[in-house]
């Protein structure tokens, strides 16, 4: 029996340095919203490493999709890109994030860091469609959604109670069970 539904957030972007910082901020805000503050730092580190790999290595383009999903007791963060080439873990980097090479090297440690800080991680090849690199983190034991995060049954324009029990109008783009899209449209629906 599933006692709590999954929560999901998707961001599509070009893996450029300025966008990587924006995704870290989006991820941090989403995890705060889900009451997962203890996972913010490791998740932000992991997504930064994965997006940096896309920025430095992916071909033919830098377009990628970041998925963040909380299902029961695990947070999964994944990055899908269009490059079918699979990344490799530098020899020795799973046990030591610095690998066997130069301790002052500025690259080559990303997957070693992912392996060291995550519960599990992996790569899903998708043929010519690219690949997905993912990692999981154990969620704290008592994760409960914020009181206002319950699925809404309000129709667009219908009065809904606010936190102070004062009626408010539902946004026009609100649909049952989905959060409205915000800003640039880069965030997908928050499925509950």
């Amino acid at each position: 029996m599933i006692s709590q539904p999954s929560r999901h957030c998707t961001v599509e972007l070009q893996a450029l340095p300025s966008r990587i910082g924006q995704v870290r901020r989006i991820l941090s805000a989403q995890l705060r919203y889900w009451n997962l503050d203890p996972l913010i730092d490791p998740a932000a580190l992991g997504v930064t490493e994965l997006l940096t790999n896309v920025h430095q290595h992916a071909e033919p383009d830098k377009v990628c999709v970041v998925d963040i999903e909380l299902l029961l007791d695990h947070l999964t963060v994944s990055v899908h890109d269009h490059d079918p080439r699979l990344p490799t873990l530098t020899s020795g980097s799973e046990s030591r994030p610095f690998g066997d090479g130069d301790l002052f090297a500025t690259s080559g440690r990303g997957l070693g860091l992912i392996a060291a800080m995550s519960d599990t991680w992996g790569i899903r090849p998708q043929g010519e469609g690219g690949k997905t690199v993912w990692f999981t983190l154990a969620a704290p034991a008592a994760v409960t959604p914020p009181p206002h995060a319950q699925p809404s049954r309000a129709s667009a324009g219908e009065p809904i109670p606010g936190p102070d029990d004062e009626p408010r109008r539902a946004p026009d783009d609100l649909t049952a069970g989905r959060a409205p899209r915000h800003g640039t449209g880069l965030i997908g629906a928050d499925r509950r």
Side-chain angles (χ1 to χ4, degrees), residues 52-146:
T52 299
N53 283 350
V54 173
H55 172 69
Q56 291 179 344
H57 305 292
E59 295 175 2
D61 57 42
K62 306 300 181 192
V63 174
C64 61
V65 175
V66 175
D67 279 310
I68 309 161
E69 183 171 30
L70 176 65
L71 184 57
L72 298 176
D73 60 350
H74 277 84
L75 178 74
T76 301
V77 178
S78 63
V79 175
H80 172 79
D81 65 56
H82 298 132
D83 192 340
R85 297 175 302 156
L86 302 180
T88 56
L89 187 63
T90 305
S91 175
S93 62
E94 201 160 347
S95 59
R96 285 188 306 132
F98 301 109
D100 291 333
D102 182 2
L103 291 177
F104 299 104
T106 58
S107 64
R109 296 182 214 149
L111 290 180
L113 286 170
I114 298 290
M117 65 92 186
S118 66
D119 293 336
T120 59
W121 72 280
I123 302 165
R124 281 190 305 271
Q126 299 183 343
E128 293 302 312
K131 67 185 166 300
T132 300
V133 182
W134 57 271
F135 65 90
T136 64
L137 299 169
V143 175
T144 55

Side-chain angles (χ1 to χ4, degrees), residues 16 26 32 77 97-98 120 125 129-130 157 159 165 170 178 181:
L16 303 173
I26 290 168
R32 264 196 250 19
V77 178
F98 301 109
T120 59
D165 291 321
R178 296 179 75 188
R181 294 185 148 214

